[in-house]
Amino acid sequence: MVFVYWDNSNIYHEAQRLAEEHEGTPGARYLVRVHFDNLLRLAHADRPVTRAVAAGSIPPEMQQLWNRMENRGVEVNLFDRGARDQGEQGVPDQWLQLRMLEDGLDHNGNPGVIVLLTGDGAGYMHGRGFHRTLERMHGRGWGVEVLSWTHSCNRGMREWAEEHGVFIALDNYYGAITFREPSRPGYEFAPPRDQAALDLTDRPMARARRNG
């Protein structure tokens, strides 16, 4: 069983940071987009998916992405990061962590593989955050895979994932999980680029373990 948890804001905004370096073109950060289908396939690696959830923000220009996710069976929850009435419990990271812990309880005794798409390891020293949640679930037999851009992944979480599960650097799949949109007329930064074919040959995979 594979369970996918996707922090879209972290993945997308850090892809923008890398775009000019990888594309070699000034202004590429404004044109780069994450190719949803290929990134989702990289996450599940053709294994059956029991649950997939994604958290993101609500700029209208991304509605097409949210619709595409939902059409592929991904549960999407959107947040207005600037809303004052949501408080700490309303932020996307905590919503994703709650889904992870719920799945851990619902499948207690029959763990699967967690595939987490984020580099955010904040809160660890206070017993909170994705890293702590991964530790708790791994302790109950869950396999753990962390997919993140290398430059933005919390070092402690990455090292822990490398030791106890799998860390996958999205940088190694940049050409397949991103594409570049055409420039607007009068703002020609770079020519468009399609995504490359996704090669899963060297993609490592974690395994759940059965306690007892």
Side-chain angles (χ1 to χ4, degrees):
M1 299 186 296
V2 170
F3 295 73
V4 178
Y5 308 94
W6 183 321
D7 178 0
N8 185 71
S9 294
N10 183 274
I11 297 300
Y12 173 62
H13 291 305
E14 298 305 330
Q16 288 184 305
R17 293 178 189 273
L18 278 180
E20 292 186 10
E21 175 183 338
H22 278 265
E23 306 282 357
T25 305
R29 64 175 297 144
Y30 304 109
L31 303 175
V32 72
R33 299 292 182 268
V34 172
H35 190 271
F36 165 71
D37 288 333
N38 277 358
L39 184 51
L40 181 61
R41 186 175 176 226
L42 177 62
H44 63 62
D46 296 332
R47 297 167 292 183
V49 177
T50 300
R51 188 181 195 187
V53 298
S57 53
I58 57 174
E61 61 270 18
M62 297 191 72
Q63 188 59 49
Q64 187 175 5
L65 170 64
W66 308 135
N67 293 342
R68 192 176 186 87
M69 282 188 170
E70 290 174 335
N71 289 338
R72 296 294 191 277
V74 179
E75 176 188 349
V76 176
N77 203 349
L78 304 180
F79 298 83
D80 181 354
R81 290 180 179 267
R84 296 181 179 180
D85 59 348
Q86 287 184 353
E88 289 299 316
Q89 296 300 319
V91 298
D93 292 357
Q94 293 188 357
W95 179 81
L96 280 174
Q97 291 159 37
L98 179 59
R99 299 286 83 75
M100 294 167 71
L101 293 170
E102 287 176 345
D103 289 335
L105 289 173
D106 289 345
H107 298 274
N108 188 31
N110 185 31
V113 175
I114 300 165
V115 183
L116 176 63
L117 288 84
T118 190
D120 187 353
Y124 180 78
M125 298 306 295
H126 300 285
R128 302 190 302 270
F130 287 117
H131 188 172
R132 286 291 192 188
T133 302
L134 291 174
E135 286 185 338
R136 292 182 176 103
M137 296 183 74
H138 181 263
R140 292 181 174 270
W142 289 75
V144 172
E145 299 175 1
V146 175
L147 281 64
S148 177
W149 303 106
T150 304
H151 76 278
S152 64
C153 188
N154 176 272
R155 179 177 177 180
M157 187 168 70
R158 174 181 177 176
E159 291 176 349
W160 182 88
E162 290 172 335
E163 180 178 355
H164 298 281
V166 167
F167 175 77
I168 295 175
L170 295 179
D171 312 54
N172 297 335
Y173 298 91
Y174 179 85
I177 62 175
T178 67
F179 63 96
R180 196 168 58 228
E181 289 190 332
S183 302
R184 290 185 299 161
Y187 297 89
E188 285 76 15
F189 292 120
R193 172 183 63 80
D194 290 335
Q195 71 282 357
L198 178 64
D199 183 0
L200 296 175
T201 304
D202 298 322
R203 199 269 198 215
M205 298 187 200
R207 294 182 180 274
R209 69 180 187 278
R210 299 294 186 264
N211 295 323

